[in-house]
């Protein structure tokens, strides 16, 4: 009797031991086949990237392949990963995965659960890489027959005729057939339907000067595929963007794509400063230009934005100050600082002030992505816009095709965003290589003999700005 009990007890212990060994073996197999982070994440969440996620450093996870390979180890180098084997070395340049939106049904809790999860990209057997970082400002222009992203003659609903070079007398459009290739990573190809899906129930606001308006019109053409979209709603009235009596145009525009409830808007604020009339009863009054205060529109509607892109630059000159009747104010009083009386210093001071204010607001709106776009370059030669300057070159990339520098050419913007959560949308150096992409002498509005070497043909360079923007949203 006792022997039978002893045997049963021994067999139970053996069964438990065997079961434990089997579990351990299975766990080790799963560990070898799956990186630790993927082992912990539910399968239905592996492909989800939170819009708020930003991983600066690539992470390499090595997994055992079906066949034995020589020992290897990974090191991070620039935009790619160098994987060294025992007897040779091979370099992989890994593309940054495009941001993937959460599903429509995802709750706020789900968004928090996957906050720090990025899509796993398999480079080669035995190697899995998680990678998001990319310096989009460094790279080169490459020919691409799939460009442009929309028709310059077909996008009439959004594109102003003064920027639609296909409607002018220009005959050479080779400038449209180039895309920007960042060094060491890929800019995800823009797909209108995917973009709108990612931006479901969100608002993109572009605030700045006429170059900001060009970027706004470019994005509308890209989002609609350059085709007429009668279902798109004009919702400018929601933001006070209506044409005032006697005005040539409203202060901005806002359009909504109803299927995804995506709103894209532009507000005209050439200086980004708060402008306050000194005498409200006088139509010809001057304006207090508060260098240390953001535009009232930005302060009022920031809570409604999910992406905001600011720019300023080309109105910071004596001619514009005089024409607009701007008078510099700091701390609510007329400026008496002689250094700020120099317009370049005033612009730098303002950029820093606005970025600092915007950064202070971001903790209140954790889902808000804020960008400051660097200045768009001018290409006047032998004079300026009103002194015979021109930009007659039509040969793409005649001054070079590659940007090798790490820092921005817009030093004021770069230094302003440093140490903040406001990102720099750095387009200066890559746009500087495209002097053949301006309106040039083909403008339908400028007097004969006057060239526009400031604004760009659309389709054109601002499309690349938006492609880089969308890759980071």
């Amino acid at each position: 009797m006792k022997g039978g009990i002893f045997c049963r007890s021994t067999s139970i212990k053996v069964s438990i031991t065997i079961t434990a060994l089997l579990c351990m073996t299975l766990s080790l197999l799963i560990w070898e086949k799956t990186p630790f982070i993927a082992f912990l994440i539910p399968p239905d969440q592996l492909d989800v990237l939170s819009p708020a996620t930003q991983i600066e450093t690539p992470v390499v996870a090595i997994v055992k392949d079906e066949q034995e390979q020589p020992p290897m180890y990974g090191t991070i180098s620039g935009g790619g990963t160098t994987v060294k084997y025992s007897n040779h070395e091979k370099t992989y340049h890994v593309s940054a995965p495009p941001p993937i939106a959460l599903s429509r049904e995802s709750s706020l809790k789900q968004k928090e659960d996957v906050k720090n999860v990025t899509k796993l990209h398999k480079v080669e057997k035995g190697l899995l890489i998680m990678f998001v970082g990319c310096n989009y400002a460094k790279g080169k222009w490459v020919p691409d027959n799939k460009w442009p992203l929309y028709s310059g003659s077909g996008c009439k609903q959004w594109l102003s005729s003064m920027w639609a070079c296909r409607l002018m007398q220009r005959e050479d459009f080779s400038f449209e057939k180039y895309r920007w290739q960042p060094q060491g990573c890929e800019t995800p190809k823009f797909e209108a339907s995917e973009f709108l899906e990612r931006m479901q129930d969100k608002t993109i606001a572009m605030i700045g000067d006429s170059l900001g308006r060009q970027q706004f019109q470019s994005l509308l053409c890209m989002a609609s595929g350059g085709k007429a979209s009668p279902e798109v709603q004009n919702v400018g009235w929601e933001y006070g963007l209506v044409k005032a009596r006697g005005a040539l145009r409203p202060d901005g525009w806002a359009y909504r794509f109803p299927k995804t409830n995506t709103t894209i808007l532009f507000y005209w604020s050439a200086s980004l400063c708060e402008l306050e009339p000194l005498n409200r009863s006088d139509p010809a009054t001057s304006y207090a230009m508060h260098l240390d205060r953001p535009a009232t529109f930005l302060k009022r509607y920031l809570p409604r934005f999910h992406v905001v892109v600011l720019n300023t630059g080309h109105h910071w000159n004596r001619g514009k100050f005089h024409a607009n009747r701007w008078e510099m104010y700091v701390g609510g009083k007329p400026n008496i600082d002689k250094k700020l009386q120099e317009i370049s210093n005033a612009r730098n001071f303002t950029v820093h002030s606005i970025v600092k204010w915007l950064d202070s607001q971001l903790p209140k709106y954790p889902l808000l992505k804020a960008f400051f776009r660097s200045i768009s370059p001018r290409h006047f030669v032998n004079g300026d816009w009103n002194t015979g300057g021109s930009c007659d070159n039509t040969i793409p990339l005649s001054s070079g095709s590659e940007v090798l520098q790490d820092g921005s050419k817009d030093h004021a913007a770069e230094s302003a965003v440093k140490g903040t959560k406001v990102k720099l949308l750095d387009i200066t150096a890559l746009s500087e290589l495209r002097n053949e992409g301006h309106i040039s002498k083909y403008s339908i509005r400028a007097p004969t003999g006057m060239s526009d070497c400031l604004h760009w043909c659309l389709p054109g360079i601002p499309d690349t700005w938006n492609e880089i923007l969308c890759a980071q949203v």
Side-chain angles (χ1 to χ4, degrees):
M1 184 73 172
K2 290 181 179 179
I5 294 172
F6 176 78
C7 290
R8 283 196 298 273
S9 176
T10 303
S11 64
I12 291 171
K13 290 180 179 179
V14 170
S15 298
I16 293 173
T17 303
I18 293 172
T19 302
L21 287 171
L22 285 172
C23 291
M24 184 179 296
T25 303
L26 287 172
S27 298
L28 286 172
L29 286 172
I30 292 172
W31 178 278
E32 289 182 339
K33 291 293 182 182
T34 311
F36 179 67
I37 190 171
F39 182 71
L40 294 178
I41 303 166
D44 61 337
Q45 293 183 5
L46 272 175
D47 284 344
V48 179
L49 174 64
S50 166
T53 301
Q54 178 64 33
I55 299 178
E56 298 295 340
T57 306
V59 180
V60 180
I62 299 173
V63 296
K64 188 175 181 180
D65 195 20
E66 296 174 358
Q67 300 179 355
E68 283 295 318
Q69 294 183 0
M72 59 181 174
Y73 60 94
T75 59
I76 305 304
S77 175
T81 300
T82 303
V83 181
K84 295 184 179 180
Y85 292 83
S86 59
N87 57 352
H88 67 283
E89 177 175 311
K90 188 172 183 179
T91 302
Y92 299 96
H93 290 289
V94 186
S95 303
I100 300 174
L102 294 165
S103 63
R104 300 182 185 182
E105 296 79 19
S106 295
S107 65
L108 289 174
K109 184 179 183 303
Q110 286 176 313
K111 291 180 181 180
E112 187 64 28
D113 288 341
V114 298
K115 182 177 179 182
N116 294 315
V117 181
T118 184
K119 189 171 183 180
L120 297 175
H121 273 230
K122 190 168 184 178
V123 179
E124 193 175 88
K125 287 184 178 180
L127 184 64
L128 284 172
I129 289 183
M130 295 178 294
F131 192 97
V132 174
C134 182
N135 180 1
Y136 290 102
K138 188 176 181 180
K140 62 182 178 181
W141 290 98
V142 296
D144 191 335
N145 286 327
K146 294 181 180 179
W147 276 62
L149 301 175
Y150 56 90
S151 166
S153 55
C155 190
K156 297 179 181 179
Q157 186 174 358
W158 321 112
L159 182 53
S160 297
S161 58
M162 62 182 175
W163 295 330
C165 289
R166 286 276 179 178
L167 304 181
M168 302 178 191
Q169 296 179 359
R170 182 164 182 158
E171 297 179 354
D172 181 88
F173 298 95
S174 57
F175 68 91
E176 293 181 348
K177 295 295 184 179
Y178 288 84
R179 66 174 173 83
W180 179 248
Q181 171 64 63
Q183 185 182 71
C185 58
E186 288 282 348
T187 303
K189 186 178 184 300
F190 182 90
E191 295 288 350
S193 58
E194 180 188 350
F195 165 73
L196 291 173
E197 186 72 20
R198 282 198 287 127
M199 295 306 298
Q200 168 140 355
D201 301 323
K202 292 180 173 59
T203 297
I204 303 175
M206 295 183 175
I207 301 175
D209 56 24
S210 57
L211 277 303
R213 185 183 171 197
Q214 283 210 299
Q215 188 175 359
F216 159 74
Q217 292 191 3
S218 162
L219 186 58
L220 283 172
C221 287
M222 291 167 67
S224 63
K227 300 176 182 177
S229 303
E231 75 281 3
V232 176
Q233 304 164 352
N234 183 343
V235 293
W237 57 272
E238 292 185 15
Y239 301 88
L241 302 177
V242 294
K243 183 179 176 181
R245 181 177 298 178
L248 294 176
R249 61 182 70 89
D251 290 332
W253 297 264
Y255 294 99
R256 182 167 297 145
F257 291 76
K259 288 184 180 179
T260 56
N261 194 36
T262 303
T263 304
I264 302 175
L265 71 82
F266 168 75
Y267 178 74
W268 173 272
S269 179
S271 68
L272 297 180
C273 297
E274 178 184 321
L275 298 174
E276 182 183 21
L278 295 178
N279 184 353
R280 295 183 181 276
S281 62
D282 181 7
T285 186
S286 295
Y287 290 83
M289 181 186 190
H290 295 281
L291 303 183
D292 51 354
R293 300 180 190 173
T296 303
F297 180 90
L298 178 59
K299 290 187 291 186
R300 180 178 299 165
Y301 293 105
L302 187 67
R304 297 183 60 175
F305 302 154
H306 299 85
V307 178
V308 62
V309 184
L310 307 181
N311 90 281
T312 185
H314 293 293
H315 280 247
W316 292 86
N317 60 72
R318 290 295 175 192
K320 291 294 185 182
F321 270 57
H322 178 74
N324 294 322
R325 302 189 298 277
W326 289 342
E327 297 182 11
M328 291 189 226
Y329 273 58
V330 177
K333 300 177 181 179
N335 172 53
I336 57 174
D337 187 335
K338 291 185 178 180
K339 288 185 178 179
L340 289 184
Q341 289 175 3
E342 294 184 25
I343 291 188
S344 60
N345 292 336
R347 187 242 177 188
N348 293 353
F349 175 81
T350 298
V351 170
H352 279 76
S353 297
I354 303 305
V355 168
K356 182 179 179 181
W357 173 84
L358 182 56
D359 184 56
S360 73
Q361 301 301 302
L362 293 181
K364 302 177 186 177
Y365 315 108
L367 296 181
L368 174 63
K369 298 282 189 181
F371 295 85
F372 193 94
R373 203 205 72 217
S374 65
I375 196 166
S376 173
R378 296 152 36 105
H379 286 97
F380 289 98
V381 295
N382 299 322
D384 212 321
W385 66 272
N386 57 349
T387 57
S390 63
C391 47
D392 295 337
N393 175 49
T394 58
I395 302 174
L397 308 174
S398 57
S399 59
S401 63
E402 194 168 7
V403 174
L404 299 174
Q405 67 187 50
D406 291 315
S408 175
K409 285 199 169 184
D410 188 343
H411 303 298
E414 183 178 43
S415 62
V417 303
K418 187 175 182 180
T420 74
K421 292 185 178 180
V422 179
K423 288 186 171 296
L424 180 66
L425 182 57
D426 190 5
I427 56 85
T428 305
L430 64 90
S431 303
E432 204 165 57
L433 297 172
R434 303 305 306 275
N435 63 350
E436 86 288 2
H438 289 290
I439 306 296
S440 186
K441 59 187 177 184
Y442 305 102
S443 174
I444 60 176
R445 285 194 174 185
T448 303
M450 188 176 292
S451 293
D452 185 348
C453 303
L454 170 63
H455 299 102
W456 304 92
C457 289
L458 291 176
I461 311 307
D463 303 333
T464 295
W465 306 348
N466 281 325
E467 195 174 42
I468 294 174
L469 171 68
C470 294
Q472 298 180 77
V473 179

